[in-house]
Amino acid sequence: QVELAESGGGSVQAGGSLRISCVVSGLTADRNYAMGWFRQAPGKEREGVACINWNGHSTHYGNSMKGRFTVARDNAKNTLSLQMDNMKPEDTALYFCAVRPMRDCLGANSRQYNAWGQGIQVTVSS
């Protein structure tokens, strides 16, 4: 059973930085997985934030996150991180980490991820 747990959320002022992490358990050694971050703000649909392929060599970001966010993974520790810099009030949302049972994540939507964390709140003040 694959389980994910986010950590590191909190509040930050606009222009500041925040790093959130995700620990994944239950992954089998003979399979490779892409991982991603999604977020959902009140009254809005869940949107893709960033994703990273199975070996960490390929990353993809939502348009508004490019140049500000950096996703990384440590397969030895089964962890995923998201470094968020130059944060904006519109980044305020509940952030989720997720696992996709394929090596790559290009073009993948949320329905293609089969395991999710509970979400962690990130709040950016103006």
Side-chain angles (χ1 to χ4, degrees):
Q1 182 177 358
V2 178
E3 296 183 354
L4 300 88
E6 301 93 343
S7 64
S11 299
V12 65
Q13 291 183 313
S17 298
L18 195 66
R19 181 183 177 90
I20 56 177
S21 299
C22 174
V23 177
V24 186
S25 63
L27 294 174
T28 58
D30 61 345
R31 295 183 64 182
N32 300 118
Y33 301 85
M35 293 193 287
W37 288 98
F38 293 81
R39 70 186 186 188
Q40 187 167 24
K44 297 182 179 180
E45 294 184 350
R46 183 171 298 184
E47 65 175 337
V49 175
C51 71
I52 187 166
N53 79 334
W54 69 287
N55 61 9
H57 293 173
S58 180
T59 58
H60 302 277
Y61 299 90
N63 289 333
S64 65
M65 298 85 181
K66 293 179 180 178
R68 300 190 300 119
F69 291 6
T70 303
V71 63
R73 67 188 293 169
D74 185 337
N75 285 352
K77 298 180 180 179
N78 286 327
T79 58
L80 176 74
S81 67
L82 182 68
Q83 177 67 40
M84 299 178 283
D85 298 318
N86 190 26
M87 299 193 73
K88 304 175 181 180
E90 48 264 46
D91 292 323
T92 296
L94 190 66
Y95 284 70
F96 300 86
C97 60
V99 169
R100 186 191 191 204
M102 296 183 71
R103 288 191 171 188
D104 298 313
C105 59
L106 179 63
N109 57 47
S110 62
R111 295 190 300 275
Q112 295 175 303
Y113 290 78
N114 67 352
W116 294 80
Q118 292 184 326
I120 191 165
Q121 182 65 41
V122 171
T123 302
V124 184
S125 301
S126 61

